[in-house]
Amino acid sequence: MTTHTNRVNPPEEDSRPSITNQVAKSDGRGNIREPGSPVGIQSDVGLRPKHNASLPVHSLPAELFLQVVHYALGRFLEDHPRRYYSYVIGLSGVCSHWYNLIRDSPPLWTQIYSLDSPNIVEVALRRSSSHLLDIIIYGFRDQEHIPEFLNTISPHRNRWRSFHAFTPFSWMSLLTAALDEPALKLEKLSLADQETTSSNHEVDLFGGTTPKLKDLTLDGISTRWDSDIVRGLKSIDLSCIHFPSTKIVLDILAHSPQLQRVIIWRCTTGSILTDSPYSIQLSRLSFLQIDLGGFEAIGNILASLKVSERSSLSIPLYRDEGVDGFLRSRVAGWTSNWNVTRTFQLSGLQLDIDHEHLRMGILTPSHPDPLTFTLEEFRNRGDEGTEFLEAFSFVVDTLGSWYRESATIHLGLGYVPFTDPFFEVSEQPLFVNELSRLPSITSLEISTVGKHGLADILIREGASSVFRNVCALSFSELDPSELSEDLEWISHAVRFIKAATESSLDEGDRKPKLQKVGLRFLCPAHSNEAEDMEVAVGELEGIVGPGIVCVDHGD
């Protein structure tokens, strides 16, 4: 049975600049007529040839010029993927030289978008020549355009490099019906049904023949799990799927020993495989995020895996599931693989606490990403929040066992995990006591200011011992427009933390421990907000001294 809900609103269709539709017309030679092209603008081109020829950019070799364009388009593509060809056409309209270079560069025309006009799609397919294609489907102008688009791209199936689709359930059957033949060069596949919350209806994708596929994402869509498309993968992301048994999940992992990244999230299973014969070696695995509806199913998977010493783990926090026992058996075994004292030159530990996650990690100079263990989704807790406190106690014990005198600890404090009165009143002293058991915290980041933040609990409870060794303090995710309202609380927090650090100074030591206070903003300040920033810096420097406060404007 497959269940549906409106999990995610479909991306809104971008309003295309009118210029895109205007230029997507035949100029009699089967080309798109970009503004600035040599067709119909002879007078304009004639006025500026000497000026254009003298520009330094025109002295670049064609290959180097196109590399610059690729870089510029790549940055634009990250932020505005569905306006890509508007930008390509805009660049080609600068002058006839740019027009000819861009027109005749196939790599610039390999992005195929379902929301582009049919003319744009056909021209991109033609100009991309024999290069591999990236198909991106984030909805259609209307349902009538689905067959037309699919019929246009299907003959180029053997050029598909990646295929990404995010559509409503009502369109998914049309889409998957077009994915029934082999795709011999497909490297990355991502199919997301934005409405389905649990799928067990299996779809036979590509006839099971995708020999180059290494990256697979299925969200709300099941496939034949014995198919070759789930073999030999390096990255797999499965969500909102019901598996008949944990054996299916273990088979998926066993058939891809080169896996580096695994996400199995918001999934469920039927039966639990007992007396598992599996011993799955995933020596390259760097990240596993797994949610199968309960700790028993997760434990069944973890017990069968042999992983790298650099594998991070993320699991949800289920309610009434015996959190403490599970963490101290399965998770303690997982984190023991990290061999903290032997493998790493330990330079730092981190602990982040927010309303949706509890994360501990190891910061090492030899590893670009911190090793982390993360508990997600506290909202599924029991009524008294005891699962969170049990999990937090385990994290504190683990960090304490890793600590060495040369290490630093970075603590991040966000929103209060729970908003019910029970936690806010009765559980606060227990939380403070657990946090006070940590070794010395040298770096503190407060991402939520005010009464809804965890830092406010510590300050109201007078937890000076938590902050006594803080050298670097930062307030992140600040909104410039709200700074004047937040300043009173920030100033109070700085005074409290500064006093806590000074309380542990030796009598002969006059050098303050608090050496840096940072204000990090989500975005640059408008001109009318710049004065508020100056006031804030002045007030905080009046507390901690000149030269200590620094500002990151978010630009």
Side-chain angles (χ1 to χ4, degrees), residues 169-346:
F169 171 76
S170 58
W171 296 357
M172 191 55 67
S173 59
L174 286 172
L175 182 62
T176 54
L179 306 181
D180 58 346
E181 297 181 13
L184 301 181
K185 295 183 180 179
L186 189 68
E187 301 172 7
K188 185 172 184 177
L189 174 64
S190 176
L191 299 177
D193 179 338
Q194 65 194 39
E195 296 171 343
T196 298
T197 58
S198 181
S199 172
N200 61 4
H201 175 65
E202 297 183 356
V203 180
D204 188 8
L205 298 169
F206 302 106
T209 306
T210 52
K212 292 186 178 294
L213 187 66
K214 297 300 178 185
D215 190 322
L216 175 65
T217 297
L218 297 176
D219 183 350
I221 300 171
S222 297
T223 188
R224 283 182 45 205
W225 301 115
D226 59 349
S227 169
D228 284 347
I229 75 164
V230 289
R231 295 172 182 261
L233 300 170
K234 291 184 177 180
S235 176
I236 190 166
D237 186 339
L238 308 175
S239 56
C240 299
I241 293 171
H242 177 77
F243 298 99
S245 167
T246 55
K247 182 180 184 302
I248 300 294
V249 179
L250 290 167
D251 284 337
I252 293 170
L253 301 178
H255 291 151
S256 294
Q258 303 303 311
L259 277 167
Q260 300 171 11
R261 178 176 175 271
V262 175
I263 297 177
I264 302 173
W265 200 245
R266 297 191 176 180
C267 294
T268 55
T269 62
S271 61
I272 306 294
L273 182 65
T274 57
D275 301 322
S276 171
Y278 289 83
S279 179
I280 303 171
Q281 184 75 36
L282 299 178
S283 59
R284 298 189 179 184
L285 186 68
S286 62
F287 179 71
L288 171 64
Q289 183 180 38
I290 184 165
D291 169 15
L292 288 170
F295 285 144
E296 183 181 7
I298 293 177
N300 192 229
I301 304 300
L302 297 185
S304 302
L305 299 182
K306 306 294 183 183
V307 299
S308 161
E309 292 179 343
R310 297 180 176 180
S311 299
S312 294
L313 174 64
S314 176
I315 63 175
L317 182 59
Y318 299 112
R319 60 179 298 170
D320 304 326
E321 281 269 346
V323 173
D324 187 64
F326 176 80
L327 293 177
R328 296 188 186 279
S329 58
R330 297 300 183 197
V331 175
W334 181 283
T335 55
S336 69
N337 286 339
W338 293 353
N339 288 323
V340 177
T341 57
R342 179 176 66 83
T343 305
F344 298 104
Q345 178 187 350
L346 189 61

Side-chain angles (χ1 to χ4, degrees), residues 60-75:
L60 292 175
E63 295 80 4
L64 183 57
F65 169 78
L66 289 172
Q67 287 184 20
V68 174
V69 173
H70 271 290
Y71 176 78
L73 288 172
R75 296 291 299 271

Side-chain angles (χ1 to χ4, degrees), residues 419-538:
T419 56
D420 60 274
F422 185 89
F423 180 81
E424 289 191 359
V425 178
S426 304
E427 299 298 310
Q428 288 179 12
L430 297 176
F431 168 73
V432 172
N433 288 339
E434 289 292 341
L435 196 58
S436 299
R437 294 198 298 115
L438 279 172
S440 61
I441 296 163
T442 51
S443 174
L444 175 65
E445 178 180 352
I446 297 174
S447 59
T448 302
V449 302
K451 65 180 181 179
H452 298 296
L454 285 165
D456 190 65
I457 291 178
L458 295 170
I459 292 171
R460 284 191 281 110
E461 291 288 326
S464 299
S465 61
V466 174
F467 305 125
R468 64 179 179 271
N469 291 307
V470 171
C471 299
L473 168 65
S474 65
F475 298 88
S476 62
E477 301 183 24
L478 296 174
D479 187 335
S481 65
E482 298 176 359
L483 181 59
S484 59
E485 301 174 12
D486 295 335
L487 183 57
E488 181 180 356
W489 187 92
I490 292 173
S491 299
H492 175 62
V494 171
R495 287 191 183 92
F496 182 88
I497 294 168
K498 179 175 181 287
T501 63
E502 291 176 345
S503 66
S504 59
L505 290 175
D506 294 333
E507 292 236 349
D509 189 357
R510 296 287 181 234
K511 185 178 180 181
K513 289 184 179 179
L514 189 59
Q515 297 294 310
K516 180 179 179 181
V517 176
L519 302 177
R520 300 212 306 265
F521 293 89
L522 291 168
C523 56
H526 296 297
S527 56
N528 60 335
E529 296 164 345
E531 185 177 345
D532 291 340
M533 283 192 180
E534 292 181 8
V535 170
V537 170

Side-chain angles (χ1 to χ4, degrees), residues 380-392:
N380 294 330
R381 71 196 189 285
D383 292 336
E384 297 183 352
T386 54
E387 291 92 341
F388 169 77
L389 288 171
E390 289 176 357
F392 187 52

